[in-house]
Amino acid sequence: HIYSFNFNNKWGSNTPEYGKQVNYRQIAGVRFYVNFGIYGKIAADSLWFSDVLLSNTLLSVPNVTNSPAQKLFIYPNPTSAFIRVCSNSPVLGTATIQFVNLTGMVVKEVHSDLSQEIMVSDLPQGYYTLRVISNNSPLGIGSFIKL
């Protein structure tokens, strides 16, 4: 659902009918993530949020430090076309490689030999966590930025 707030204590929504006022108490919460990007610097400015999409799924990315899997080394990073994945553990044959976006959703899954280049040109720009699964057990987790 689309929600809006006009700072006159009036919440609007597109459901059940566009522009109708809604009870703000029915909105459980909103998360906004803001960073400076890879080339940014600390600054002060104003923000305007528009077309914000809300999700009822858990907004998390697997944490490398809390995972039983090891950290993977991904290069080049950042990248626009392909990545290579290096692991301290040998991987024989193909592995399942999952691409997880910032909302915690698996947006791409490939089965590949880790010695091969893995194409990422079809992914939108953003920050991704990579999970590698080999023989039905987690092998490693790493992160990269898609330009």
Side-chain angles (χ1 to χ4, degrees):
H1 302 291
I2 298 173
Y3 294 101
S4 62
F5 183 70
N6 68 1
F7 295 98
N8 289 325
N9 207 24
K10 295 199 180 182
W11 284 87
S13 175
N14 69 331
T15 184
E17 189 177 324
Y18 184 79
K20 291 294 182 180
Q21 190 167 351
V22 297
N23 183 350
Y24 71 90
R25 290 179 183 92
Q26 293 177 332
I27 302 170
V30 177
R31 289 187 191 176
F32 293 101
Y33 296 96
V34 180
N35 68 35
F36 302 111
I38 59 174
Y39 301 112
K41 59 183 179 183
I42 295 175
D45 204 342
S46 299
L47 294 173
W48 176 262
F49 293 100
S50 179
D51 296 327
V52 176
L53 300 177
L54 302 178
S55 171
N56 64 355
T57 59
L58 180 63
L59 298 176
S60 66
V61 175
N63 188 335
V64 175
T65 58
N66 293 336
S67 172
Q70 68 171 332
K71 182 170 180 172
L72 299 173
F73 301 97
I74 301 171
Y75 66 94
N77 191 1
T79 185
S80 60
F82 69 90
I83 58 171
R84 288 190 179 270
V85 179
C86 292
S87 168
N88 290 334
S89 299
V91 178
L92 301 174
T94 61
T96 300
I97 302 161
Q98 295 178 329
F99 295 80
V100 182
N101 67 13
L102 281 175
T103 66
M105 292 176 51
V106 176
V107 294
K108 179 177 179 173
E109 184 173 289
V110 297
H111 303 283
S112 177
D113 184 337
L114 289 188
S115 64
Q116 304 279 327
E117 289 181 351
I118 301 166
M119 299 308 295
V120 295
S121 56
D122 58 330
L123 290 173
Q125 293 179 345
Y127 179 86
Y128 294 90
T129 295
L130 200 72
R131 291 189 292 213
V132 176
I133 301 164
S134 178
N135 296 323
N136 292 325
S137 62
L139 174 70
I141 298 175
S143 299
F144 73 98
I145 296 171
K146 165 62 170 55
L147 300 176

